């Protein structure tokens, strides 16, 4: 391959005059920004155990009152990007959030899109533009860009959930900001029960805002869909369902994609190598996730991330079905024409 010139080969006085004029020679850095064949991701395979996070999160509950935190979150940060960047991958932010009984995480809205995957506890809820979204383990709740949201807790045990945001991307675009709001009036319950296996409310022309018609995806429904799918699908092939916008059939949010995967007892599935980074969070069971040369043993509520084009295998390492929640960067890559898969 062609060898390009380095910065050291240039006279220092020449480099200095360039620098003074805010100019940079491309050729010494050309292969860094356009690496051959595939990207050189900063995103590393990283594994976070819930067993490690939980006590530290509960300790945060003692150390920092909700009034001082606004959102009491420990961020799952990828050292490949630098911990201070608070990103799991180039586009994905992950945080474990704790809400204690009686607490309120006050209303706000922001440009990044967020979802919550509930990890433990009951009787907390998020209100999204007036719709009450109750939280139970495994439920997925959307708070898309620009929608008001606040979290409240009527129960008597801590509630913990995993936040997944496209914050790193929106921040990189210098488009990230928040507005504080007033407490919302609950105008109704989340309307997921309207959308039932392809049957939607009538008449079509009255459904004014189809951007985010469904804000809550109960785990019981996703789990049942996976069990049904598993009955008809050949062993060894990924049993996977996507969280979609039921009115358009497309991804439920603009930037990140969300899906759930079931790995049957004794089964080992291999995913295609994708141009999009992915996050795996175990909802139920036990699973060994292989990411290139790494092997992570996921117990319930553990989370790991994989860079683009990684070789990924997921094996059930228990005796019951394993259920994995997946977040990926495919929607934004597809919209920009950047998405690809390799064998
Ligand atoms: O719950 O609204 O983890 O605004 C980071 C930013 C959660 C939230 C996060 C947020 C939220």
């Amino acid at each position: 391959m062609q060898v390009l010139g380095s910065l050291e080969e240039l006279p220092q006085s020449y480099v200095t005059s360039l620098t003074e004029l805010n100019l940079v020679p491309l050729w010494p850095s050309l292969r860094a920004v356009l690496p051959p064949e595939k990207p050189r991701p900063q995103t590393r395979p990283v594994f976070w155990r819930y067993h490690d996070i939980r006590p530290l999160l509960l300790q945060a509950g003692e150390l920092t009152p909700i009034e001082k935190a606004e959102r009491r979150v420990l961020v799952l940060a990828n050292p490949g990007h630098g911990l201070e960047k608070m990103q799991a991958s180039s586009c994905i932010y992950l945080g474990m959030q704790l809400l204690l009984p009686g607490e309120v995480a006050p209303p706000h809205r922001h440009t990044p899109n967020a979802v919550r995957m509930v990890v433990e506890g009951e009787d907390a809820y998020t209100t999204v533009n007036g719709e009450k979204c109750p939280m139970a383990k495994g439920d997925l709740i959307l708070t898309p860009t620009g929608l008001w949201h606040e979290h409240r807790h009527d129960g008597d045990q801590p509630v913990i959930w995993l936040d997944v945001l496209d914050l790193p991307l929106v921040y990189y675009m210098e488009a990230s900001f928040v507005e504080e709001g007033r407490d919302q009036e609950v105008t109704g319950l989340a309307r997921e029960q309207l959308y039932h296996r392809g049957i939607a409310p009538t008449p079509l022309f009255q459904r004014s805002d189809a951007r985010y018609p469904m804000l809550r995806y109960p785990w019981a429904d996703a789990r049942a869909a996976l069990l049904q799918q598993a009955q008809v699908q050949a062993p060894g092939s990924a049993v996977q369902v996507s969280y979609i916008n039921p009115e358009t059939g497309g991804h439920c949010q603009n930037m990140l994609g969300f899906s759930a995967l079931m790995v049957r007892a004794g089964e080992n599935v291999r995913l295609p190598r994708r141009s999009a980074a992915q996050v795996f969070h175990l909802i139920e069971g036990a699973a060994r996730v292989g990411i290139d040369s790494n092997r992570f043993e996921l117990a319930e509520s553990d989370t790991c991330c994989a860079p683009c084009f990684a070789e990924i295998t997921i094996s059930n390492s228990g005796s019951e079905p394993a259920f994995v929640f997946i977040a990926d960067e495919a929607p934004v890559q597809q919209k920009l024409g950047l998405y690809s898969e390799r064998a």
Side-chain angles (χ1 to χ4, degrees), residues 77-98:
N78 193 314
H81 289 271
L83 297 183
E84 72 288 352
K85 292 282 179 56
M86 299 198 297
Q87 51 192 106
S89 70
S90 66
C91 302
I92 304 177
Y93 158 103
L94 298 174
M96 266 310 165
Q97 182 162 172
L98 168 68

Side-chain angles (χ1 to χ4, degrees), residues 104-116:
V104 178
H108 69 194
R109 64 178 182 180
H110 40 68
T111 44
N113 297 274
V115 305
R116 340 263 155 210

Side-chain angles (χ1 to χ4, degrees), residues 71 73 93 95 97 108 110 114 116 149 151 161 163 165 167:
R71 299 293 189 265
V73 176
Y93 158 103
Q97 182 162 172
H108 69 194
H110 40 68
R116 340 263 155 210
H149 56 283
H151 314 298
W161 63 82
D163 290 314
L165 280 77
L167 178 61

Side-chain angles (χ1 to χ4, degrees), residues 36-304:
E37 308 302 333
K38 78 181 225 15
R40 302 281 149 80
Q42 282 179 264
T43 303
R44 290 185 208 154
V46 183
F47 177 33
W48 297 271
R49 281 190 176 86
Y50 189 57
H51 179 82
D52 296 330
I53 300 172
R54 189 178 188 276
L56 293 168
L57 191 53
L58 292 172
Q59 207 179 339
E62 292 163 17
L63 294 171
T64 307
I66 193 70
E67 294 76 18
K68 281 193 158 186
E70 188 168 316
R71 299 293 189 265
R72 193 191 290 109
V73 176
L74 292 180
V75 179
L76 284 58
N78 193 314
H81 289 271
L83 297 183
E84 72 288 352
K85 292 282 179 56
M86 299 198 297
Q87 51 192 106
S89 70
S90 66
C91 302
I92 304 177
Y93 158 103
L94 298 174
M96 266 310 165
Q97 182 162 172
L98 168 68
L99 198 62
L100 293 169
E103 287 186 334
V104 178
H108 69 194
R109 64 178 182 180
H110 40 68
T111 44
N113 297 274
V115 305
R116 340 263 155 210
M117 167 50 56
V118 182
V119 174
E120 75 167 74
E122 275 170 21
D123 300 317
Y125 60 95
T126 299
T127 307
V128 187
N129 270 16
E131 270 185 51
K132 181 174 180 173
C133 301
M135 294 183 174
K137 182 179 165 63
D139 291 353
L140 183 72
I141 294 169
L142 311 187
T143 56
T145 179
L147 300 197
W148 292 106
H149 56 283
E150 64 197 73
H151 314 298
R152 290 175 181 268
H153 190 353
D154 295 339
D156 54 13
Q157 296 298 316
V159 167
I160 298 176
W161 63 82
L162 178 70
D163 290 314
V164 186
L165 280 77
D166 51 22
L167 178 61
L169 175 62
V170 178
Y171 181 78
Y172 178 74
M173 294 169 76
E174 300 191 332
S176 180
F177 67 96
V178 70
E179 291 171 79
E180 291 180 21
R182 283 178 310 193
D183 291 357
Q184 298 174 71
E185 204 181 312
V186 172
T187 52
L189 260 185
R191 295 169 302 151
E192 73 273 358
Q193 70 283 357
L194 292 178
Y195 298 97
H196 188 72
R197 302 181 188 208
I199 296 168
T202 302
L204 196 64
F205 55 80
Q206 277 189 4
R207 296 205 301 275
S208 54
D209 186 3
R211 277 178 80 86
Y212 308 105
M214 189 157 158
L215 296 173
R216 177 171 180 263
Y217 297 75
W219 173 233
D221 293 348
R223 194 179 192 281
L226 284 165
L227 288 170
Q228 197 175 30
Q229 187 66 24
Q231 306 245 308
V232 296
Q233 216 164 303
S237 62
V239 178
Q240 193 168 1
V241 295
S242 293
Y243 294 91
I244 60 166
N245 175 327
E247 299 209 5
T248 65
H251 300 292
C252 64
Q253 284 190 341
N254 289 332
M255 310 277 206
L256 303 182
F258 304 99
S259 60
L261 175 78
M262 172 177 162
V263 187
R264 293 164 277 198
E267 195 173 39
N268 176 24
V269 300
R270 190 175 163 275
L271 301 183
R273 295 170 66 217
R274 298 191 161 106
S275 60
Q278 298 177 83
V279 165
F280 303 95
H281 170 82
L282 193 67
I283 300 177
E284 282 180 39
R288 180 176 310 118
V289 178
I291 304 172
D292 293 329
S293 59
N294 302 268
R295 297 283 173 273
F296 301 137
E297 283 292 345
L298 270 63
E300 210 169 281
S301 309
D302 288 352
T303 306
C304 64

